[in-house]
């Protein structure tokens, strides 16, 4: 039987076993998917198990996404550019690391806001942490004219912009009103919105009426940013779809079937939030 996993520390909160378990049942692939708590010091030993053939691959979550970059035998070019790995696949040549957050972000918007990238000139990205890297690389792949990268700590945004290159202009969150007037996509990649937090003084009234607002935070599903955007009549896309879509390429690589993100799967995961 083909076995796959998600490793993290802690790992109990992960919804990945629910997502992959649903697909394993739906497509009858005769595999398994389990959550395994691996502390950072135990990561090299876990890789030996993986290379030994115990698993076909798996997912990697916090806090290991950056550390595994140095442990894989091969790195997908996108994962290399992003600097983080969330999906591992065992191949003849060894373990290959991918970053599917990139595809999850694009797949979510393509499914839930069709046409979002047509003639897209300006975008505002809030947050410059780990998740922001995949989003910036994804946006560059859709030939966005200009990305305004706004972060609480401006220096971190500037470091990221230098590292990734491309049309990225940096600023603080207090520059939102001055920067967002031409932005037809607003993306929150920061953790603001979780645990009753919200952006203070983010004025969505300056945003064009046909803009899409999306949030990577999915607990709560409707963050204060999305609620505000909806109240203003803007199109919104929540972060749960990204979580579901990022799981697709891994399942396909391990079990040989490209799974679908269906309303049934979404309802299953939504019930756990
Ligand atoms: P991270 O590396 O810790 O980065 C956190 C970011 O949030 C930084 O830009 C940080 O700004 C900012 N921030 C934190 N508290 C803030 C506050 N009070 N005010 C303003 N900015 C604040 O985290 P991450 O890995 O990038 O993850 C960010 C969020 O994305 C998490 O909620 C995570 O669950 C979510 N996520 C969702 C998906 C999905 O599939 N939907 C995938 C990946 C991540 P500073 O630089 O100033 O500290």
């Amino acid at each position: 039987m083909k076995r796959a996993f998600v490793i993290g520390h802690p790992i109990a909160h992960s919804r990945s076993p629910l997502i992959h378990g649903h697909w394993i049942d739906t497509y009858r692939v005769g595999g398994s998917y389990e959550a395994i708590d691996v502390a950072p010091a135990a990561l090299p030993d876990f890789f030996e198990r993986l290379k030994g053939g115990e698993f076909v691959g798996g997912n990697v979550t916090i806090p290991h996404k950056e550390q595994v970059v140095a442990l894989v035998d091969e790195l997908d070019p996108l994962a290399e550019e992003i600097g983080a790995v969330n999906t591992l696949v065992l191949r003849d040549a060894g373990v290959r690391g991918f970053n599917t957050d990139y595809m999850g972000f694009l797949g979510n918007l393509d499914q839930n806001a069709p046409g979002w990238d047509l003639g897209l000139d300006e975008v505002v990205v809030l947050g410059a942490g780990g998740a922001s890297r995949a989003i910036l690389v994804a946006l560059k792949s859709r030939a966005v004219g200009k990305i305004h990268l706004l972060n609480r700590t401006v220096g971190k945004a500037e470091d990221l912009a230098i590292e990734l290159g491309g049309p990225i202009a940096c600023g603080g969150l207090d520059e939102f009103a001055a920067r967002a007037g031409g932005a037809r996509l607003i993306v929150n990649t920061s953790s603001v919105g979780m645990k009753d937090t919200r952006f203070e003084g983010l004025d969505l009234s300056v945003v064009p009426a046909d803009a899409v607002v999306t949030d990577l935070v999915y607990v709560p599903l409707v963050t204060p940013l999305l609620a505000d955007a909806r109240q203003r009549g803007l199109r919104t896309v929540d972060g749960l779809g990204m979580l579901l879509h990022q799981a697709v390429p891994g399942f396909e690589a391990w079990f040989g079937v490209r799974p679908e993100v269906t309303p049934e799967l979404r309802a299953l995961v939504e019930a756990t939030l």
Side-chain angles (χ1 to χ4, degrees):
M1 185 174 68
K2 289 180 174 178
R3 292 173 67 197
F5 58 79
V6 55
I7 53 170
H9 185 66
I11 197 60
H13 65 285
S14 174
R15 269 105 186 162
S16 292
L18 184 62
I19 298 168
H20 290 286
H22 173 77
W23 285 334
I24 285 169
D25 292 345
T26 304
Y27 298 103
R28 300 186 185 177
V29 294
S32 73
Y33 186 99
E34 59 203 275
I36 305 174
D37 194 315
V38 177
L43 209 48
D45 283 348
F46 184 82
F47 258 71
E48 289 310 309
R49 284 174 64 188
L50 175 57
K51 289 177 185 182
E54 197 176 328
F55 305 98
V56 288
N59 289 121
V60 178
T61 189
I62 293 168
H64 302 316
K65 287 184 180 185
E66 284 85 22
Q67 200 185 339
V68 298
V69 169
L71 294 173
V72 296
D73 301 301
E74 297 178 341
L75 199 53
D76 180 72
L78 274 176
E80 189 172 5
E81 190 177 358
I82 294 165
V85 161
N86 73 343
T87 301
L88 301 170
V89 179
L90 184 66
R91 292 181 169 178
D92 290 342
V95 178
R96 188 169 175 92
F98 297 85
N99 188 307
T100 65
D101 279 340
Y102 165 98
M103 297 159 227
F105 173 73
L106 294 176
N108 187 29
L109 285 176
D110 289 343
Q111 184 177 50
N112 296 302
W116 67 276
D117 59 343
L118 288 178
L120 187 60
D121 196 27
E122 291 191 38
V123 172
V124 170
V125 174
L126 304 166
S132 183
R133 308 172 72 95
I135 304 315
L136 293 168
V137 173
L139 288 171
K140 286 202 298 173
S141 80
R142 295 288 173 102
V144 172
K146 188 172 189 179
I147 301 170
H148 300 275
L149 178 61
L150 309 184
N151 196 41
R152 177 177 61 181
T153 311
V154 181
K156 276 201 210 170
E158 287 169 345
D159 289 347
L160 194 51
I162 290 167
E163 196 186 323
L164 295 179
I168 305 175
C170 302
L173 295 170
D174 57 348
E175 291 177 47
F176 182 82
R179 303 266 201 153
R184 289 192 21 259
L185 179 71
I186 310 293
V187 187
N188 176 37
T189 75
S190 82
S191 48
V192 176
M194 296 174 74
K195 298 178 183 155
D196 290 329
T197 58
R198 60 178 305 135
F199 289 108
E200 298 300 339
L202 206 72
D203 183 7
L204 286 182
S205 70
V206 302
V207 173
D210 62 347
V212 174
V213 180
T214 187
D215 206 322
L216 266 58
V217 173
Y218 56 88
V219 182
L221 197 54
V222 182
T223 59
L225 176 69
L226 294 185
D228 192 9
R230 284 183 189 181
Q231 206 173 22
R232 292 177 185 280
L234 300 172
R235 271 200 296 175
T236 62
V237 178
D238 64 51
L240 180 55
M242 176 173 162
L243 178 74
L244 303 176
H245 280 275
Q246 64 77 30
V248 169
F251 188 91
E252 185 178 19
W254 308 319
F255 300 119
V257 177
R258 187 163 182 88
E260 263 189 75
V261 174
T262 59
E264 186 191 0
L265 172 65
R266 190 183 152 91
L268 198 69
V269 180
E270 201 177 321
T272 70
L273 300 183

